[in-house]
Amino acid sequence: MWDSTMFLSTLTPKFYVALTGTSSLISGLILIFEWWYFRKYGTSFIEQVSLNHISPWIGGGDTNENGNNSSNGSTNSQQNNVPECKVWRNPLNLYRGAEYQRFYWATNKEPLTYYDMNLSAQDHQTFFTCEADAGKAEYEIMQTAWRERNPLVRIKAAHKALETNPDCAPAYILLAEEEATTITEAEKILKQALKVAETNYRKTQQVQHQGSLMEAQHRRDTNVLIYIKRRLAMCARKLGKLKEAVKMFRDLTKEVPPIMNVLNIHENLIEALLEMQAYADVQAVLAKYDDISLPKSATICYTAALLKARLVADKFSPDIASKRGLTTAEMAAVEAIHRAVEFNPHVPKYLLETKPLILPPEHVLKRGDSEAIAYTFFHLAHWKNMEGALNLLHCTWEGTFRMLPYPLERGHLFYPYPTCTECADRELLPAFHEVSVYPKKELPFFIIFTAGLCSFTALLALLTHQYPEPMGCVAKSVLNWLSLPVYYIYEKVEGMLPSNLLQQLSRI
């Protein structure tokens, strides 16, 4: 048996200084290389080697084409002007009474925030009231009803407005949105509202040129009519009457009033056509709205990716693709996925169901978590219905972050990712939901470990140089402590095995 005490006694303080200095130098070189590789490729070299080469040998987990699913902002100067965060109405917002309220009854959790509902109240006041309503009791009641926080007070005010004037269409809208507890009841109320709204529209259409007040009143009646038609089409979609819903949405997309810029009815049309699996019609709608001059949305970008993934997803295999390379169609699908992820990086986690989904808010922030929830809530079924689409998304979406090393400063196909989305999403989404933020690129474990090792060995080298004898004693004590288990195991083995076998092993 080797004598560790004799060996340790022969080591001088210079040896410990050289040892710790050499270790510090080597770990420092590894740290510099790791940092350079991380800055250039966005991931750790050691982590990549372990995941792609070592892990398969020992039966490790799946290996993605990107070992790091995150990205960060850098300190480089901003090259593009980041647009301000603008809140949009959710084109597929649910009914408060028939859907949001039922969720509250089941979970006792408020699905909507006061900030979100207040934005809706402002929208309703903007589109469903006008200057000509002054002195009209029913419309003055509705002006205050939209602002009420208590839903029972709002419903009571709507009934009072109808008692004052049975032709008050905004009152029907409020009752359909909040009092009806099923979609069927909401549709019934909206059909009553449609008759009233059409009558009011025809009346004001004839006198709209008789002054600014009449023009404002006609604009209000137009907004009410379009809103009711859209909600009726959404009722038809929810009740499974797809052809009827598609026809109504198509008719509405031909309208041109200013309210159309807010409603984004083409997104309702895309979702209904996807449910019908009318992919050629969906492509035609995308060709019209996926234009460079028009604002993008998660629905536009991810639907374009879904249609391209549909052509190759059923036969796509990451192993085969890594060997032979991507075909032209597969490359187009992957590029479309990267484009969609660059626009809104929060959607894939919901589509792949790695993060729990909640009811969508009434307003969304484009490129934010709220938009990702609103999109996934209605489109997850379409991705599931397309064989292999989610697998293709799973294998390729993280590659976007390697293409965008500094997404908060520079974008590839879009403006840099806005930094204001987190604050707005926290206002729009309920408190029980964990808000997603842009995947910030965290330092890999091996870089942190190497930095710690480098610092520790450098500190040891410094202490050994300044206090060689005490550090030598400390090193001997540590080595003795570490060798105790080895001595114990050796003695046990020596007691169990015959001495001649140990002699033969020692010779070998």
Side-chain angles (χ1 to χ4, degrees):
M1 175 181 177
W2 58 278
D3 191 353
S4 62
T5 305
M6 182 182 297
F7 171 73
L8 293 174
S9 63
T10 61
L11 299 179
T12 63
K14 292 182 179 180
F15 170 79
Y16 295 107
V17 173
L19 176 63
T20 52
T22 304
S23 302
S24 178
L25 177 63
I26 294 174
S27 58
L29 293 175
I30 295 174
L31 174 63
I32 293 172
F33 174 76
E34 277 282 281
W35 180 254
W36 169 82
Y37 193 89
F38 174 73
R39 293 282 292 179
K40 185 173 183 180
Y41 299 104
T43 186
S44 166
F45 173 78
I46 300 176
E47 184 178 358
Q48 284 290 89
V49 171
S50 62
L51 288 174
N52 296 333
H53 301 287
I54 299 177
S55 180
W57 292 353
I58 60 177
D62 296 336
T63 59
N64 295 333
E65 70 169 13
N66 182 11
N68 195 332
N69 63 343
S70 59
S71 193
N72 85 326
S74 71
T75 57
N76 292 349
S77 59
Q78 185 171 346
Q79 294 188 353
N80 294 315
N81 293 325
V82 180
E84 295 182 0
C85 291
K86 178 182 178 182
V87 176
W88 298 72
R89 281 192 66 88
N90 179 10
L92 297 168
N93 64 307
L94 305 179
Y95 286 83
R96 288 187 183 176
E99 292 168 306
Y100 289 121
Q101 188 64 30
R102 295 170 73 87
F103 174 83
Y104 176 76
W105 292 338
T107 64
N108 201 31
K109 294 180 179 179
E110 290 287 354
L112 296 175
T113 64
Y114 175 68
Y115 174 75
D116 190 17
M117 292 189 290
N118 187 50
L119 290 176
S120 297
Q122 294 175 14
D123 294 337
H124 295 153
Q125 284 183 294
T126 301
F127 293 114
F128 302 153
T129 60
C130 65
E131 300 87 347
D133 295 336
K136 298 180 181 179
E138 66 276 14
Y139 285 102
E140 290 181 349
I141 292 173
M142 292 307 301
Q143 282 182 343
T144 58
W146 299 122
R147 295 194 299 266
E148 291 289 345
R149 297 189 63 173
N150 190 331
L152 295 178
V153 175
R154 292 195 297 269
I155 293 172
K156 184 177 180 180
H159 281 293
K160 184 177 180 181
L162 287 177
E163 291 175 0
T164 305
N165 182 8
D167 294 335
C168 183
Y172 284 107
I173 292 176
L174 192 148
L175 294 178
E177 294 282 349
E178 303 197 31
E179 186 179 42
T181 57
T182 64
I183 300 298
T184 304
E185 293 178 13
E187 184 183 44
K188 182 179 179 181
I189 297 174
L190 286 172
K191 286 182 177 179
Q192 291 179 293
L194 180 62
K195 295 179 181 179
V196 173
E198 287 177 339
T199 302
N200 294 338
Y201 175 80
R202 286 193 293 268
K203 289 179 180 179
T204 56
Q205 186 180 27
Q206 299 173 357
V207 296
Q208 60 176 313
H209 302 296
Q210 297 180 7
S212 59
L213 290 180
M214 299 307 299
E215 183 178 354
Q217 186 174 346
H218 178 67
R219 184 167 57 249
R220 188 272 315 278
D221 291 338
T222 303
N223 293 338
V224 169
L225 180 61
I226 290 176
Y227 184 90
I228 292 172
K229 287 183 177 180
R230 171 178 172 268
R231 293 305 262 174
L232 274 172
M234 294 182 70
C235 285
R237 161 67 184 93
K238 294 174 186 291
L239 295 174
K241 298 180 285 187
L242 296 177
K243 291 184 178 179
E244 179 182 342
V246 167
K247 182 180 182 305
M248 296 176 73
F249 286 135
R250 284 191 185 279
D251 292 340
L252 285 171
T253 55
K254 300 174 184 177
E255 301 286 346
V256 292
I259 192 176
M260 298 298 296
N261 298 325
V262 178
L263 298 180
N264 291 323
I265 294 176
H266 61 276
E267 296 192 13
N268 299 91
L269 177 60
I270 288 173
E271 196 279 326
L273 290 173
L274 285 174
E275 180 66 17
M276 293 177 64
Q277 298 185 356
Y279 300 118
D281 293 335
V282 175
Q283 187 63 59
V285 176
L286 286 179
K288 181 179 179 182
Y289 290 97
D290 194 2
D291 186 83
I292 191 172
S293 61
L294 298 176
K296 298 294 182 290
S297 66
T299 300
I300 294 292
C301 295
Y302 278 90
T303 301
L306 179 63
L307 293 183
K308 290 186 178 180
R310 170 176 169 266
L311 303 176
V312 297
D314 57 337
K315 299 178 181 178
F316 178 79
S317 171
D319 295 332
I320 296 176
S322 61
K323 293 178 181 178
R324 62 166 169 78
L326 296 174
T327 64
T328 304
E330 289 173 344
M331 182 62 71
V334 171
E335 289 177 352
I337 290 174
H338 287 176
R339 171 181 181 255
V341 175
E342 180 184 349
F343 182 82
N344 193 318
H346 310 296
V347 174
K349 287 188 176 181
Y350 292 108
L351 287 177
L352 298 173
E353 298 182 271
T354 59
K355 187 172 184 183
L357 193 62
I358 63 171
L359 294 184
E362 293 185 337
H363 289 79
V364 298
L365 188 66
K366 287 191 175 183
R367 308 186 73 178
D369 191 31
S370 53
E371 185 193 34
I373 293 171
Y375 170 80
T376 309
F377 188 84
F378 288 96
H379 288 262
L380 176 59
H382 307 318
W383 282 81
K384 286 185 174 181
N385 290 336
M386 201 166 292
E387 184 181 357
L390 289 176
N391 177 54
L392 179 61
L393 177 68
H394 172 71
C395 295
T396 59
W397 76 277
E398 291 179 344
T400 307
F401 303 119
R402 287 190 303 187
M403 298 169 53
L404 300 171
Y406 309 112
L408 302 181
E409 278 74 29
R410 291 198 301 270
H412 179 55
L413 298 172
F414 301 100
Y415 283 106
Y417 187 81
T419 56
C420 59
T421 56
E422 181 179 357
C423 295
D425 278 332
R426 291 189 188 280
E427 295 289 337
L428 289 173
L429 298 173
F432 60 83
H433 174 73
E434 182 182 353
V435 176
S436 295
V437 297
Y438 195 94
K440 296 181 180 179
K441 189 177 295 181
E442 299 176 355
L443 288 177
F445 166 76
F446 289 103
I447 289 183
I448 300 175
F449 175 77
T450 308
L453 180 63
C454 177
S455 303
F456 178 70
T457 53
L459 179 62
L460 285 180
L462 178 63
L463 292 175
T464 306
H465 182 267
Q466 293 293 329
Y467 311 101
E469 293 184 1
M471 289 300 294
C473 295
V474 171
K476 291 178 183 179
S477 301
V478 171
L479 288 175
N480 283 327
W481 292 340
L482 294 177
S483 63
L484 285 177
V486 178
Y487 288 150
Y488 179 77
I489 295 173
Y490 183 84
E491 291 175 356
K492 288 293 184 182
V493 173
E494 189 178 28
M496 295 172 59
L497 298 178
S499 59
N500 58 348
L501 179 60
L502 291 176
Q503 292 176 358
Q504 295 294 332
L505 291 176
S506 64
R507 291 177 183 177
I508 295 174

